[in-house]
Amino acid sequence: FDTTSNYKPISHYRPLTHNCSLKPQQQFLTMTAQRILTCLLVAASAPGITAFAPQLPSTSPPVTQLSASANDENSIAANLANAASVSILAATLFLNPLPSHADGQTKEFKLPPIDKSDKSRCVLNSSKMGQANAARDKLYDLRECDLSGVKGDEFDLSGVIMTKTDMSKSSLREAQFSKGYLRNSNFEGADFTNAIVDRASFMGSSLRGAIFQNAVLTATSFEGADVENADFTDAYIGDFDIKNLCKNPSLTGENPTTGADTRLSAQCGPAK
């Protein structure tokens, strides 16, 4: 530096970081890697964090370096490699997220004992709260109830619990069954036309001849259910759910009421 000019010698300036002597291109790469790590909220490694973190001013006299040392260059390369690895991992998780189970696919539930002292328990009641998240003022327990032929059109039955329940030949058109526990029950000939059966489980239930025309069946499980002669015409079924439904060996026959081919109505194609 020309001491006769207005510029002050380099030693006059206090270093901001221990990498203050890096070339502009190296400083740019370092800042870019730091921004990537900050946006991802993931630390590549403890040494990487230390290398990129600002340092407090040293109490010793500042030492000026006009070029980066070999160790600094190696450290930058290692940190950039770590940042790239983290970026690739984050992109992989984002594009291929781990599967999560909705309520309909949950395998195990712990249910309380049946309150058989409640004589008014086996009555079909619509929720007054009208919430798709199954909010009720008390447990809606219809286990072991005989409700064959019941009329429940447009009822909100969200959060209902049914096991060994007889709902055969019931009319449930436009009813809501969000988060319904509908296992090991009899729904033979039941009409679910235009119903919303969201995040429910029919595991082990008989749905022979049931009608699901134009019904919403998102995140609903038919695993282990008997769906012979059921009609799924125009029903909305998620891609993951329809793959499982098509694997159900009982997806055969023809609905006795609508005449629809069961397998074709579910858009599963002919059986192999």
Short mmCIF file of all heavy atoms in Angstrom, two decimals, residues 175-226:
data_model
loop_
_atom_site.label_atom_id
_atom_site.label_comp_id
_atom_site.label_asym_id
_atom_site.label_seq_id
_atom_site.Cartn_x
_atom_site.Cartn_y
_atom_site.Cartn_z
N ALA A 175 -74.30 -38.97 4.77
CA ALA A 175 -73.87 -38.96 6.18
C ALA A 175 -72.37 -38.70 6.25
O ALA A 175 -71.64 -38.84 5.26
CB ALA A 175 -74.22 -40.28 6.84
N GLN A 176 -71.90 -38.32 7.44
CA GLN A 176 -70.48 -38.06 7.66
C GLN A 176 -69.93 -39.04 8.69
O GLN A 176 -70.48 -39.17 9.78
CB GLN A 176 -70.25 -36.62 8.15
CG GLN A 176 -70.68 -35.56 7.15
CD GLN A 176 -70.40 -34.17 7.64
OE1 GLN A 176 -69.38 -33.93 8.29
NE2 GLN A 176 -71.30 -33.25 7.35
N PHE A 177 -68.84 -39.70 8.31
CA PHE A 177 -68.21 -40.69 9.18
C PHE A 177 -66.73 -40.36 9.40
O PHE A 177 -65.91 -41.25 9.46
CB PHE A 177 -68.32 -42.09 8.57
CG PHE A 177 -69.67 -42.74 8.72
CD1 PHE A 177 -70.65 -42.56 7.75
CD2 PHE A 177 -69.95 -43.53 9.82
CE1 PHE A 177 -71.89 -43.16 7.88
CE2 PHE A 177 -71.19 -44.14 9.96
CZ PHE A 177 -72.17 -43.94 8.99
N SER A 178 -66.39 -39.10 9.53
CA SER A 178 -64.99 -38.75 9.71
C SER A 178 -64.44 -39.40 10.98
O SER A 178 -65.06 -39.35 12.04
CB SER A 178 -64.82 -37.23 9.81
OG SER A 178 -65.12 -36.62 8.58
N LYS A 179 -63.28 -40.03 10.85
CA LYS A 179 -62.61 -40.71 11.95
C LYS A 179 -63.51 -41.75 12.62
O LYS A 179 -63.50 -41.93 13.83
CB LYS A 179 -62.12 -39.71 12.99
CG LYS A 179 -61.01 -38.80 12.47
CD LYS A 179 -60.41 -37.94 13.57
CE LYS A 179 -59.25 -37.11 13.04
NZ LYS A 179 -58.63 -36.29 14.10
N GLY A 180 -64.28 -42.44 11.80
CA GLY A 180 -65.15 -43.48 12.34
C GLY A 180 -64.42 -44.80 12.54
O GLY A 180 -63.64 -45.23 11.69
N TYR A 181 -64.65 -45.43 13.68
CA TYR A 181 -64.10 -46.76 13.98
C TYR A 181 -65.20 -47.75 13.65
O TYR A 181 -66.12 -47.97 14.44
CB TYR A 181 -63.70 -46.83 15.46
CG TYR A 181 -62.98 -48.09 15.85
CD1 TYR A 181 -61.59 -48.16 15.82
CD2 TYR A 181 -63.67 -49.23 16.27
CE1 TYR A 181 -60.91 -49.31 16.19
CE2 TYR A 181 -63.01 -50.38 16.64
CZ TYR A 181 -61.63 -50.42 16.61
OH TYR A 181 -60.98 -51.57 16.98
N LEU A 182 -65.14 -48.34 12.44
CA LEU A 182 -66.25 -49.13 11.89
C LEU A 182 -65.81 -50.57 11.65
O LEU A 182 -66.10 -51.15 10.62
CB LEU A 182 -66.72 -48.49 10.58
CG LEU A 182 -66.92 -46.96 10.63
CD1 LEU A 182 -67.22 -46.41 9.23
CD2 LEU A 182 -68.03 -46.59 11.59
N ARG A 183 -65.18 -51.16 12.62
CA ARG A 183 -64.54 -52.47 12.44
C ARG A 183 -65.43 -53.63 12.90
O ARG A 183 -66.25 -53.50 13.81
CB ARG A 183 -63.22 -52.51 13.20
CG ARG A 183 -62.21 -51.49 12.72
CD ARG A 183 -60.86 -51.69 13.38
NE ARG A 183 -59.85 -50.77 12.87
CZ ARG A 183 -58.57 -50.81 13.18
NH1 ARG A 183 -58.12 -51.74 14.01
NH2 ARG A 183 -57.72 -49.94 12.68
N ASN A 184 -65.23 -54.75 12.20
CA ASN A 184 -65.88 -56.02 12.58
C ASN A 184 -67.39 -55.86 12.75
O ASN A 184 -67.99 -56.40 13.68
CB ASN A 184 -65.26 -56.57 13.86
CG ASN A 184 -63.77 -56.80 13.72
OD1 ASN A 184 -63.30 -57.45 12.80
ND2 ASN A 184 -63.00 -56.25 14.66
N SER A 185 -68.00 -55.09 11.86
CA SER A 185 -69.43 -54.84 11.93
C SER A 185 -70.10 -55.24 10.62
O SER A 185 -69.44 -55.57 9.63
CB SER A 185 -69.69 -53.35 12.22
OG SER A 185 -69.21 -53.00 13.50
N ASN A 186 -71.44 -55.23 10.62
CA ASN A 186 -72.23 -55.67 9.48
C ASN A 186 -72.84 -54.45 8.78
O ASN A 186 -73.73 -53.80 9.31
CB ASN A 186 -73.33 -56.62 9.96
CG ASN A 186 -74.15 -57.17 8.79
OD1 ASN A 186 -73.91 -56.86 7.63
ND2 ASN A 186 -75.13 -58.03 9.11
N PHE A 187 -72.30 -54.15 7.57
CA PHE A 187 -72.84 -53.06 6.76
C PHE A 187 -73.39 -53.61 5.44
O PHE A 187 -73.43 -52.90 4.44
CB PHE A 187 -71.73 -52.04 6.45
CG PHE A 187 -71.26 -51.26 7.65
CD1 PHE A 187 -70.15 -51.68 8.37
CD2 PHE A 187 -71.93 -50.11 8.06
CE1 PHE A 187 -69.70 -50.96 9.46
CE2 PHE A 187 -71.49 -49.38 9.15
CZ PHE A 187 -70.37 -49.81 9.86
N GLU A 188 -73.83 -54.84 5.44
CA GLU A 188 -74.32 -55.45 4.20
C GLU A 188 -75.56 -54.71 3.69
O GLU A 188 -76.52 -54.49 4.44
CB GLU A 188 -74.65 -56.92 4.44
CG GLU A 188 -73.41 -57.76 4.78
CD GLU A 188 -73.74 -59.23 4.98
OE1 GLU A 188 -74.91 -59.62 4.75
OE2 GLU A 188 -72.83 -60.00 5.35
N GLY A 189 -75.50 -54.30 2.41
CA GLY A 189 -76.63 -53.61 1.80
C GLY A 189 -76.80 -52.17 2.25
O GLY A 189 -77.80 -51.53 1.89
N ALA A 190 -75.86 -51.62 3.01
CA ALA A 190 -75.97 -50.24 3.47
C ALA A 190 -75.73 -49.27 2.30
O ALA A 190 -74.97 -49.55 1.39
CB ALA A 190 -74.97 -49.97 4.58
N ASP A 191 -76.43 -48.13 2.35
CA ASP A 191 -76.33 -47.15 1.27
C ASP A 191 -75.54 -45.93 1.76
O ASP A 191 -76.03 -45.14 2.58
CB ASP A 191 -77.74 -46.74 0.83
CG ASP A 191 -77.72 -45.85 -0.41
OD1 ASP A 191 -76.61 -45.49 -0.87
OD2 ASP A 191 -78.82 -45.51 -0.92
N PHE A 192 -74.31 -45.77 1.25
CA PHE A 192 -73.43 -44.64 1.61
C PHE A 192 -73.35 -43.61 0.47
O PHE A 192 -72.37 -42.87 0.39
CB PHE A 192 -72.02 -45.15 1.91
CG PHE A 192 -71.87 -45.96 3.16
CD1 PHE A 192 -72.02 -47.35 3.14
CD2 PHE A 192 -71.58 -45.35 4.37
CE1 PHE A 192 -71.85 -48.10 4.29
CE2 PHE A 192 -71.42 -46.10 5.52
CZ PHE A 192 -71.56 -47.48 5.48
N THR A 193 -74.37 -43.54 -0.38
CA THR A 193 -74.32 -42.63 -1.51
C THR A 193 -74.09 -41.19 -1.05
O THR A 193 -74.76 -40.70 -0.13
CB THR A 193 -75.64 -42.69 -2.31
OG1 THR A 193 -75.83 -44.02 -2.79
CG2 THR A 193 -75.63 -41.73 -3.48
N ASN A 194 -73.10 -40.51 -1.66
CA ASN A 194 -72.75 -39.12 -1.34
C ASN A 194 -72.26 -38.91 0.09
O ASN A 194 -72.19 -37.77 0.57
CB ASN A 194 -73.93 -38.17 -1.60
CG ASN A 194 -74.34 -38.13 -3.07
OD1 ASN A 194 -73.50 -38.23 -3.96
ND2 ASN A 194 -75.63 -38.00 -3.32
N ALA A 195 -71.92 -39.98 0.77
CA ALA A 195 -71.46 -39.86 2.15
C ALA A 195 -69.98 -39.44 2.18
O ALA A 195 -69.25 -39.59 1.21
CB ALA A 195 -71.64 -41.18 2.89
N ILE A 196 -69.57 -38.91 3.31
CA ILE A 196 -68.16 -38.57 3.54
C ILE A 196 -67.62 -39.53 4.59
O ILE A 196 -67.93 -39.42 5.78
CB ILE A 196 -68.01 -37.12 4.01
CG1 ILE A 196 -68.54 -36.15 2.95
CG2 ILE A 196 -66.54 -36.81 4.31
CD1 ILE A 196 -68.50 -34.70 3.37
N VAL A 197 -66.84 -40.48 4.13
CA VAL A 197 -66.25 -41.49 5.02
C VAL A 197 -64.75 -41.22 5.02
O VAL A 197 -63.99 -41.87 4.30
CB VAL A 197 -66.59 -42.92 4.54
CG1 VAL A 197 -66.17 -43.94 5.60
CG2 VAL A 197 -68.08 -43.05 4.25
N ASP A 198 -64.35 -40.28 5.82
CA ASP A 198 -62.99 -39.76 5.80
C ASP A 198 -62.20 -40.26 7.01
O ASP A 198 -62.65 -40.15 8.15
CB ASP A 198 -63.05 -38.23 5.79
CG ASP A 198 -61.69 -37.59 5.94
OD1 ASP A 198 -60.79 -37.94 5.16
OD2 ASP A 198 -61.52 -36.75 6.85
N ARG A 199 -61.00 -40.83 6.77
CA ARG A 199 -60.12 -41.32 7.83
C ARG A 199 -60.82 -42.34 8.73
O ARG A 199 -60.69 -42.31 9.95
CB ARG A 199 -59.57 -40.15 8.65
CG ARG A 199 -58.67 -39.22 7.88
CD ARG A 199 -58.45 -37.92 8.62
NE ARG A 199 -59.67 -37.12 8.63
CZ ARG A 199 -59.83 -36.01 9.33
NH1 ARG A 199 -58.83 -35.57 10.09
NH2 ARG A 199 -60.95 -35.35 9.28
N ALA A 200 -61.56 -43.22 8.11
CA ALA A 200 -62.29 -44.26 8.84
C ALA A 200 -61.68 -45.62 8.55
O ALA A 200 -60.86 -45.78 7.64
CB ALA A 200 -63.77 -44.25 8.45
N SER A 201 -62.09 -46.63 9.34
CA SER A 201 -61.57 -47.98 9.15
C SER A 201 -62.71 -48.98 9.17
O SER A 201 -63.48 -49.05 10.13
CB SER A 201 -60.56 -48.33 10.25
OG SER A 201 -60.16 -49.68 10.13
N PHE A 202 -62.82 -49.75 8.06
CA PHE A 202 -63.81 -50.83 7.96
C PHE A 202 -63.14 -52.19 8.17
O PHE A 202 -63.68 -53.22 7.76
CB PHE A 202 -64.47 -50.82 6.58
CG PHE A 202 -65.48 -49.72 6.37
CD1 PHE A 202 -65.20 -48.63 5.57
CD2 PHE A 202 -66.73 -49.81 6.97
CE1 PHE A 202 -66.14 -47.64 5.36
CE2 PHE A 202 -67.69 -48.82 6.77
CZ PHE A 202 -67.39 -47.73 5.97
N MET A 203 -62.02 -52.22 8.80
CA MET A 203 -61.27 -53.46 8.94
C MET A 203 -62.13 -54.57 9.54
O MET A 203 -62.73 -54.43 10.60
CB MET A 203 -60.04 -53.23 9.82
CG MET A 203 -59.12 -54.44 9.95
SD MET A 203 -57.66 -54.12 10.96
CE MET A 203 -56.79 -52.97 9.91
N GLY A 204 -62.19 -55.70 8.82
CA GLY A 204 -62.92 -56.86 9.32
C GLY A 204 -64.43 -56.78 9.17
O GLY A 204 -65.13 -57.72 9.58
N SER A 205 -64.96 -55.72 8.59
CA SER A 205 -66.42 -55.57 8.45
C SER A 205 -66.92 -56.18 7.15
O SER A 205 -66.16 -56.35 6.19
CB SER A 205 -66.81 -54.09 8.51
OG SER A 205 -66.59 -53.55 9.80
N SER A 206 -68.22 -56.50 7.13
CA SER A 206 -68.84 -57.02 5.91
C SER A 206 -69.59 -55.89 5.22
O SER A 206 -70.49 -55.27 5.79
CB SER A 206 -69.82 -58.15 6.25
OG SER A 206 -70.47 -58.61 5.06
N LEU A 207 -69.17 -55.61 3.97
CA LEU A 207 -69.79 -54.55 3.16
C LEU A 207 -70.40 -55.14 1.89
O LEU A 207 -70.50 -54.47 0.87
CB LEU A 207 -68.74 -53.50 2.81
CG LEU A 207 -68.17 -52.73 4.01
CD1 LEU A 207 -66.82 -52.11 3.68
CD2 LEU A 207 -69.13 -51.63 4.43
N ARG A 208 -70.83 -56.37 1.99
CA ARG A 208 -71.42 -57.04 0.82
C ARG A 208 -72.64 -56.26 0.33
O ARG A 208 -73.57 -55.98 1.09
CB ARG A 208 -71.85 -58.46 1.18
CG ARG A 208 -70.70 -59.44 1.29
CD ARG A 208 -71.19 -60.79 1.82
NE ARG A 208 -70.17 -61.82 1.68
CZ ARG A 208 -70.15 -62.73 0.71
NH1 ARG A 208 -71.10 -62.75 -0.20
NH2 ARG A 208 -69.19 -63.62 0.65
N GLY A 209 -72.61 -55.89 -0.96
CA GLY A 209 -73.75 -55.21 -1.56
C GLY A 209 -73.90 -53.76 -1.13
O GLY A 209 -74.91 -53.12 -1.48
N ALA A 210 -72.94 -53.22 -0.41
CA ALA A 210 -73.03 -51.82 0.01
C ALA A 210 -72.84 -50.89 -1.19
O ALA A 210 -72.22 -51.26 -2.19
CB ALA A 210 -71.99 -51.52 1.08
N ILE A 211 -73.39 -49.68 -1.08
CA ILE A 211 -73.32 -48.71 -2.17
C ILE A 211 -72.54 -47.49 -1.70
O ILE A 211 -72.90 -46.85 -0.70
CB ILE A 211 -74.73 -48.29 -2.64
CG1 ILE A 211 -75.52 -49.52 -3.11
CG2 ILE A 211 -74.64 -47.25 -3.75
CD1 ILE A 211 -76.98 -49.22 -3.43
N PHE A 212 -71.47 -47.16 -2.43
CA PHE A 212 -70.63 -45.99 -2.12
C PHE A 212 -70.60 -45.03 -3.30
O PHE A 212 -69.60 -44.35 -3.52
CB PHE A 212 -69.21 -46.45 -1.80
CG PHE A 212 -69.06 -47.17 -0.49
CD1 PHE A 212 -69.07 -48.55 -0.44
CD2 PHE A 212 -68.91 -46.46 0.70
CE1 PHE A 212 -68.92 -49.23 0.76
CE2 PHE A 212 -68.75 -47.13 1.90
CZ PHE A 212 -68.76 -48.51 1.94
N GLN A 213 -71.69 -44.93 -4.03
CA GLN A 213 -71.71 -44.07 -5.20
C GLN A 213 -71.44 -42.62 -4.81
O GLN A 213 -72.08 -42.06 -3.90
CB GLN A 213 -73.05 -44.17 -5.92
CG GLN A 213 -73.26 -45.48 -6.68
CD GLN A 213 -74.54 -45.49 -7.50
OE1 GLN A 213 -75.39 -44.61 -7.36
NE2 GLN A 213 -74.69 -46.49 -8.35
N ASN A 214 -70.47 -42.00 -5.50
CA ASN A 214 -70.13 -40.58 -5.32
C ASN A 214 -69.74 -40.25 -3.88
O ASN A 214 -69.84 -39.10 -3.44
CB ASN A 214 -71.30 -39.69 -5.75
CG ASN A 214 -70.85 -38.29 -6.10
OD1 ASN A 214 -69.84 -38.11 -6.79
ND2 ASN A 214 -71.57 -37.28 -5.63
N ALA A 215 -69.27 -41.24 -3.14
CA ALA A 215 -68.86 -41.01 -1.75
C ALA A 215 -67.40 -40.58 -1.69
O ALA A 215 -66.61 -40.87 -2.60
CB ALA A 215 -69.06 -42.28 -0.92
N VAL A 216 -67.04 -39.87 -0.64
CA VAL A 216 -65.66 -39.48 -0.39
C VAL A 216 -65.06 -40.49 0.57
O VAL A 216 -65.52 -40.62 1.71
CB VAL A 216 -65.57 -38.06 0.19
CG1 VAL A 216 -64.13 -37.71 0.53
CG2 VAL A 216 -66.15 -37.05 -0.79
N LEU A 217 -64.03 -41.20 0.12
CA LEU A 217 -63.44 -42.28 0.92
C LEU A 217 -61.94 -42.02 1.12
O LEU A 217 -61.12 -42.92 0.94
CB LEU A 217 -63.67 -43.63 0.23
CG LEU A 217 -65.12 -44.00 -0.07
CD1 LEU A 217 -65.21 -45.27 -0.91
CD2 LEU A 217 -65.91 -44.17 1.23
N THR A 218 -61.60 -40.82 1.50
CA THR A 218 -60.20 -40.45 1.66
C THR A 218 -59.60 -41.04 2.93
O THR A 218 -60.20 -40.97 4.00
CB THR A 218 -60.06 -38.92 1.70
OG1 THR A 218 -60.98 -38.38 2.65
CG2 THR A 218 -60.36 -38.32 0.33
N ALA A 219 -58.42 -41.61 2.81
CA ALA A 219 -57.67 -42.19 3.94
C ALA A 219 -58.50 -43.20 4.72
O ALA A 219 -58.36 -43.35 5.92
CB ALA A 219 -57.17 -41.09 4.87
N THR A 220 -59.38 -43.92 4.02
CA THR A 220 -60.24 -44.92 4.65
C THR A 220 -59.74 -46.31 4.28
O THR A 220 -59.41 -46.58 3.13
CB THR A 220 -61.70 -44.73 4.22
OG1 THR A 220 -62.18 -43.50 4.77
CG2 THR A 220 -62.57 -45.87 4.69
N SER A 221 -59.69 -47.19 5.28
CA SER A 221 -59.14 -48.52 5.08
C SER A 221 -60.23 -49.57 4.92
O SER A 221 -61.19 -49.61 5.71
CB SER A 221 -58.24 -48.89 6.27
OG SER A 221 -57.81 -50.23 6.18
N PHE A 222 -60.07 -50.41 3.91
CA PHE A 222 -60.94 -51.56 3.69
C PHE A 222 -60.15 -52.86 3.88
O PHE A 222 -60.57 -53.92 3.42
CB PHE A 222 -61.54 -51.52 2.28
CG PHE A 222 -62.52 -50.40 2.05
CD1 PHE A 222 -62.09 -49.18 1.57
CD2 PHE A 222 -63.87 -50.55 2.33
CE1 PHE A 222 -62.97 -48.14 1.36
CE2 PHE A 222 -64.77 -49.52 2.14
CZ PHE A 222 -64.32 -48.30 1.64
N GLU A 223 -59.05 -52.77 4.58
CA GLU A 223 -58.20 -53.94 4.80
C GLU A 223 -58.97 -55.01 5.60
O GLU A 223 -59.52 -54.74 6.67
CB GLU A 223 -56.94 -53.55 5.56
CG GLU A 223 -55.98 -54.70 5.80
CD GLU A 223 -54.74 -54.28 6.55
OE1 GLU A 223 -54.54 -53.06 6.75
OE2 GLU A 223 -53.95 -55.17 6.94
N GLY A 224 -59.00 -56.22 5.07
CA GLY A 224 -59.68 -57.31 5.75
C GLY A 224 -61.20 -57.24 5.69
O GLY A 224 -61.88 -58.06 6.31
N ALA A 225 -61.74 -56.24 4.96
CA ALA A 225 -63.20 -56.11 4.85
C ALA A 225 -63.71 -56.93 3.66
O ALA A 225 -62.98 -57.15 2.68
CB ALA A 225 -63.58 -54.65 4.68
N ASP A 226 -64.96 -57.37 3.74
CA ASP A 226 -65.60 -58.11 2.66
C ASP A 226 -66.38 -57.11 1.81
O ASP A 226 -67.41 -56.60 2.23
CB ASP A 226 -66.52 -59.18 3.22
CG ASP A 226 -67.10 -60.08 2.13
OD1 ASP A 226 -66.90 -59.78 0.94
OD2 ASP A 226 -67.74 -61.10 2.48
#
